[in-house]
Amino acid sequence: MGDRFRPAWAQIDVGAVRHNAALLGSIAGTSTLCAVVKADGYGHGAVPVARAALSGGALWLAVALVEEAVVRREAGIEVPILLLSEPPPNAMNETVHRRLVPTVYTPAGVEALARAVDSVGEVGRGPVEVHLKVDTGMHRVGADASDLVELANRVSAVPQLRLGAVWTHLAVADGSTEPDREFTELQLARFDRAVAEVEADGVRVPWTHVANSAATVAVPASRRQLVRCGISLYGVAPSVAIAELLAHGTPDNGLLPVLSFRAQVSFLRELERGERPSYGRRRPLPERSVVATVPVGYADGLPRRLFDAGGHVLIGGVRRPLAGVVTMDQILVDCGPRGGEGAPVSVGDEVVLIGRQGNEEITASEWADRLGTIAYEVLCGIGPRVPRVVVGDVGHAGQ
Ligand SMILES: *Cc1c(COP(=O)(O)O)cnc(C)c1O
């Protein structure tokens, strides 16, 4: 990376990732922890987060795209990497060449993979491991339960392929209502029946896996040989219900947040009562006020509607409301009357958009609540223009 001039960055505490991985590992018991690091590690950065999770005890990684796995291989990470969707046919050679673990759920997928194994040839570790995905009610991707036996047979008919696992994904594991719990049980029952049919047909299923973060914490029956944890690694509970369970049921002090989004005040003005800062002149200042400009905007992942949604930032350990709508590269913050509440604000002062400052904290979940979304979307939305600054230490695992 070249020189950085703009005072805006996301601080990534890899020690917290390591802590969270270790905590999840203890909850998962004998299940292997697979760290889900798709989408640049949920916006935290591709490689440091993967290394930190491995150093905290994860043994597998999972990503959405072949491209995302290649980044980890090129960084020298050699652990098994599960692809959570069936790679497109034109990605199968790379999948085999990089020794990734593809998920497959169509006959065409098995065929494309078999052809890739033929054309890429020996990659040094015996047959290519395949995980079959069955749809049990999420209805996003996966084979019909009624097609699973045939698919498993197709895999076992190719000598260079080895069926490593059958898996599924839960739709409402983070829910706390009775209908949610019933649906999760239904998915588990459908899954177990589908796996039993494969084995009854004479194909051994060495592993199964089902659980995401929410299920790992809340649904013990979903913890199979492997658990796939994403959001919790980053120190964010998948839902309020899961946050409560974690607060009560864990031997440790719970999850540690990993990301904080920080900047510095770049410009200050004192404006008269009634002035209306920013585009649209949306809100009059209730009194003569200091208005601070902070050089981050919606191009950096700060949604424009955070103004309407009542968003705050922290400066000097005090919550301060936005003074007008978020613009592409900048926000305006109402710091109140000079000499008013809290410490006076100066150019260069640290601004916290997400994270802790003094006794105050703004979480990704708070943004999500205000914006009517989930913390996952907030974190993945922090744009590539924001440099990720890694702090903490996790040694040299995952080489
Ligand atoms: C993203 C993803 C996960 C991780 O889910 P979290 O809720 O972030 O723990 C697990 N499994 C699949 C199939 C996914 O797509």
Side-chain angles (χ1 to χ4, degrees):
M1 203 190 340
D3 289 337
R4 290 204 292 109
F5 302 110
R6 179 176 67 152
W9 66 99
Q11 184 172 302
I12 307 299
D13 180 351
V14 288
V17 175
R18 180 194 169 113
H19 166 95
N20 296 334
L23 177 63
L24 290 162
S26 75
I27 294 171
T30 56
S31 307
T32 291
L33 177 62
C34 173
V36 180
V37 293
K38 59 195 177 187
D40 261 347
Y42 291 41
H44 291 62
V47 172
V49 158
R51 288 227 167 89
L54 295 171
S55 112
L59 297 176
W60 282 57
L61 301 176
V63 294
L65 312 179
V66 173
E67 291 88 331
E68 295 175 327
V70 168
V71 171
R72 277 45 175 238
R73 284 286 185 258
E74 302 217 307
I77 295 174
E78 297 296 338
V79 300
I81 304 181
L82 175 67
L83 302 171
L84 293 167
S85 289
E86 185 174 288
N90 65 2
M92 288 299 188
N93 281 5
E94 193 71 7
T95 298
V96 172
H97 172 65
R98 299 283 184 175
R99 287 171 289 100
L100 310 179
V101 179
T103 289
V104 172
Y105 33 79
T106 66
V110 180
E111 257 175 52
L113 189 60
R115 275 197 308 275
V117 174
D118 268 349
S119 78
V120 174
E122 256 318 294
V123 277
R125 288 199 188 163
V128 171
E129 179 170 346
V130 181
H131 288 201
L132 288 179
K133 181 171 188 201
V134 58
D135 177 23
T136 56
M138 170 75 181
H139 300 328
R140 182 170 59 176
V141 292
D144 266 13
S146 58
D147 296 333
L148 191 64
V149 169
E150 194 213 316
L151 264 185
N153 278 306
R154 277 174 188 265
V155 171
S156 51
V158 181
Q160 306 96 316
L161 299 183
R162 182 177 77 83
L163 179 62
V166 174
W167 68 278
T168 196
H169 192 43
L170 301 173
V172 283
D174 60 335
S176 56
T177 65
E178 202 45 44
D180 287 345
R181 275 193 285 264
E182 276 172 21
F183 194 74
T184 296
E185 275 174 30
L186 177 65
Q187 285 198 267
L188 286 170
R190 286 174 176 164
F191 180 69
D192 288 336
R193 200 175 323 125
V195 172
E197 280 168 10
V198 171
E199 298 218 290
D201 206 60
V203 180
R204 204 172 82 80
V205 179
W207 276 15
T208 62
H209 51 97
V210 176
N212 56 7
S213 293
T216 299
V217 174
V219 188
S222 73
R223 295 175 204 142
R224 304 297 170 90
Q225 284 82 8
L226 176 140
V227 295
R228 308 183 306 266
C229 292
I231 194 73
S232 50
L233 273 180
Y234 308 100
V236 177
S239 68
V240 174
I242 302 296
E244 281 167 4
L245 265 179
L246 272 168
H248 291 290
T250 56
D252 212 323
N253 58 348
L255 300 172
L256 297 178
V258 173
L259 176 143
S260 62
F261 188 1
R262 294 168 192 273
Q264 288 173 349
V265 173
S266 61
F267 189 76
L268 275 181
R269 291 207 61 182
E270 195 162 9
L271 296 175
E272 296 301 332
R273 171 169 180 265
E275 288 292 331
R276 295 166 170 266
S278 196
Y279 291 123
R281 305 188 62 238
R282 295 282 298 284
R283 188 178 70 101
L285 290 171
E287 51 197 327
R288 183 180 166 82
S289 298
V290 174
V291 172
T293 304
V294 182
V296 288
Y298 61 73
D300 301 299
L302 217 70
R304 188 168 183 275
R305 64 187 191 288
L306 199 58
F307 169 67
D308 285 320
H312 294 103
V313 303
L314 307 178
I315 306 175
V318 178
R319 273 182 182 265
R320 326 247 183 190
L322 299 184
V325 296
V326 173
T327 74
M328 189 182 291
D329 311 307
Q330 279 153 332
I331 55 171
L332 300 163
V333 179
D334 182 352
C335 300
R338 189 175 288 287
E341 186 210 5
V345 174
S346 311
V347 168
D349 281 0
E350 185 194 64
V351 180
V352 170
L353 301 133
I354 294 174
R356 184 171 272 289
Q357 193 185 54
N359 296 322
E360 279 285 354
E361 185 176 21
I362 294 176
T363 62
S365 300
E366 176 185 327
W367 279 35
D369 288 346
R370 289 186 188 282
L371 295 164
T373 181
I374 52 177
Y376 297 69
E377 189 180 6
V378 169
L379 293 171
C380 293
I382 298 172
R385 201 169 71 168
V386 179
R388 271 57 172 180
V389 176
V390 173
V391 301
D393 190 21
V394 293
H396 296 284
Q399 298 295 316

